[in-house]
Amino acid sequence: MEVDQNSTNGGIPDVLRMMTYMSPGIPIEYYNLIAHYLEEKLGCRVYLIYESRWSGPPHDKTDPFTLGDADIGFICSTYFRRLHYSHNNDVELLPVAPLVTHIRAHGAPVYFADVIIHKDNMKKYKDFEALRGCKWAYNDPESLSGSIITLKELKKMGANANFFGHLLQSGSHLKSIDMVVNKDVDGAAIDSTTMALMMEKNPDLKRQLHILTSWGPLPIQPIITRKSLPNDLKRSIAAHLLVMHQDPKWLNKLTEFHVTKFTKTSVEMYEEDEELKKEVKGMSMNKQVYY
């Protein structure tokens, strides 16, 4: 796809504010890379804002796009779905997303949830059902890969969060990984891209952790924009991302993060999230007490 150079000349702000909720699970360096690329292509400064407390704007706070504090966002799909279905008129999908490498992705914009255990426990836990009564970590109650897909698998077994003996909210996929490594918990479900990048960066993890199974595919995390951004600017951002892989300089940097290129997406792709959420309606990662 060729970038319309005329469109890049209109509506370009002095500063573009890009915000990610996906770090530290996805390295902040990846989002720095995108910021540098867009600076070069758009000819404006791009500032990166990093929010690690949630995987997206929390429901009890006004999101920064509505407030006008952010222009582009990288968030978990469950948060996008909530914003979209609440008829938020200040946020919209940027219809592009990264293609990440995974043996089961088959060229689709998807990822998976890797269920991990310590290798010392491989004989004890031969499948997910064997983890009944274990200590389990999850990153965020609204995380698709860390929580929602786990609830779906529990429901398929006729169980709920009481399946686990003890539940701990870690706060991030990286902390969940550390808890399994240190044997503070027995298992966790981890974003497959995070898992692959961490194992590549820390070879010791390959000797310490075992991927018991992978759940999915799940639609890749969306990119959103502030709706009031000029349409020409939004089209330019999308068009530039779609051709990023065609420049060997940028492709080499993308592949460091297991991304091959950006591809087109649509709101319909995230309908699967809505169906998944409906499947686990009334369920949560909180253990239920019966009287």
Side-chain angles (χ1 to χ4, degrees):
M1 178 176 179
E2 292 190 0
V3 175
D4 181 355
Q5 293 298 332
N6 291 326
S7 71
T8 64
N9 293 328
I12 303 297
D14 292 332
V15 174
L16 197 64
R17 298 156 301 174
M18 197 172 90
M19 185 169 190
T20 180
Y21 289 87
M22 303 313 302
S23 294
I26 305 299
I28 195 66
E29 291 81 6
Y30 167 68
Y31 299 103
N32 276 327
L33 171 65
I34 303 232
H36 287 313
Y37 174 74
L38 290 178
E39 272 191 340
E40 179 179 298
K41 299 302 178 182
L42 295 175
C44 69
R45 290 172 292 164
V46 179
Y47 291 160
L48 180 60
I49 306 164
Y50 169 26
E51 175 56 83
S52 63
R53 291 174 293 175
W54 309 284
S55 300
H59 65 84
D60 60 344
K61 299 179 185 295
T62 304
D63 70 86
F65 307 94
T66 297
L67 291 172
D69 294 335
D71 303 309
I72 308 173
F74 298 80
I75 66 175
C76 178
S77 57
T78 50
Y79 285 85
F80 165 67
R81 190 197 67 251
R82 176 166 51 76
L83 289 171
H84 178 71
Y85 283 97
S86 66
H87 305 291
N88 184 307
N89 293 319
D90 300 297
V91 171
E92 67 181 15
L93 181 73
L94 187 72
V96 300
L99 284 181
V100 297
T101 54
H102 192 283
I103 193 170
R104 292 173 54 199
H106 306 301
V110 297
Y111 72 114
F112 296 80
D114 289 339
V115 177
I116 62 169
I117 61 172
H118 199 285
K119 277 195 172 178
D120 289 350
N121 291 328
M122 286 176 63
K123 290 184 178 179
K124 183 178 180 181
Y125 303 127
K126 295 187 182 295
D127 55 30
F128 177 65
E129 195 161 350
L131 284 161
R132 186 181 297 272
C134 79
K135 291 182 180 179
W136 183 265
Y138 64 97
N139 61 321
D140 178 330
E142 291 196 61
S143 169
L144 192 62
S145 58
S147 297
I148 306 300
I149 191 68
T150 304
L151 294 173
K152 177 186 176 181
E153 294 299 318
L154 290 173
K155 185 175 181 180
K156 284 164 60 176
M157 296 163 51
N160 57 25
N162 287 343
F163 171 87
F164 301 113
H166 192 57
L167 280 164
L168 291 170
Q169 183 177 342
S170 66
S172 74
H173 282 305
L174 297 190
K175 289 181 181 177
S176 292
I177 292 171
D178 285 342
M179 293 173 81
V180 177
V181 167
N182 297 325
K183 299 182 180 178
D184 296 321
V185 297
D186 301 301
I190 307 295
D191 179 315
S192 59
T193 306
T194 298
M195 197 69 248
L197 289 169
M198 288 302 295
M199 283 190 164
E200 185 176 271
K201 182 180 179 181
N202 303 295
D204 280 348
L205 289 181
K206 292 182 180 180
R207 295 188 287 270
Q208 295 171 308
L209 296 178
H210 171 63
I211 298 176
L212 190 64
T213 188
S214 291
W215 296 326
L218 306 169
I220 200 71
Q221 296 90 348
I223 305 173
I224 62 172
T225 64
R226 181 166 53 83
K227 194 169 186 177
S228 58
L229 283 181
N231 288 330
D232 280 353
L233 175 59
K234 288 181 283 192
R235 284 192 290 266
S236 292
I237 293 169
H240 282 305
L241 289 175
L242 286 170
V243 300
M244 187 175 181
H245 66 288
Q246 295 179 8
D247 186 330
K249 176 183 76 172
W250 295 106
L251 175 60
N252 290 337
K253 293 177 179 179
L254 277 177
T255 55
E256 292 178 16
F257 302 100
H258 294 206
V259 174
T260 58
K261 67 176 184 177
F262 285 84
T263 190
K264 293 181 180 180
T265 60
S266 66
V267 170
E268 287 71 29
M269 191 179 97
Y270 297 97
E271 292 294 331
E272 182 180 334
D273 277 20
E274 181 64 12
E275 292 304 312
L276 182 55
K277 188 68 175 178
K278 287 178 181 176
E279 282 188 55
V280 299
K281 186 177 181 179
M283 299 178 70
S284 76
M285 293 300 277
N286 294 317
K287 288 173 66 90
Q288 298 177 22
V289 178
Y290 298 97
Y291 296 95

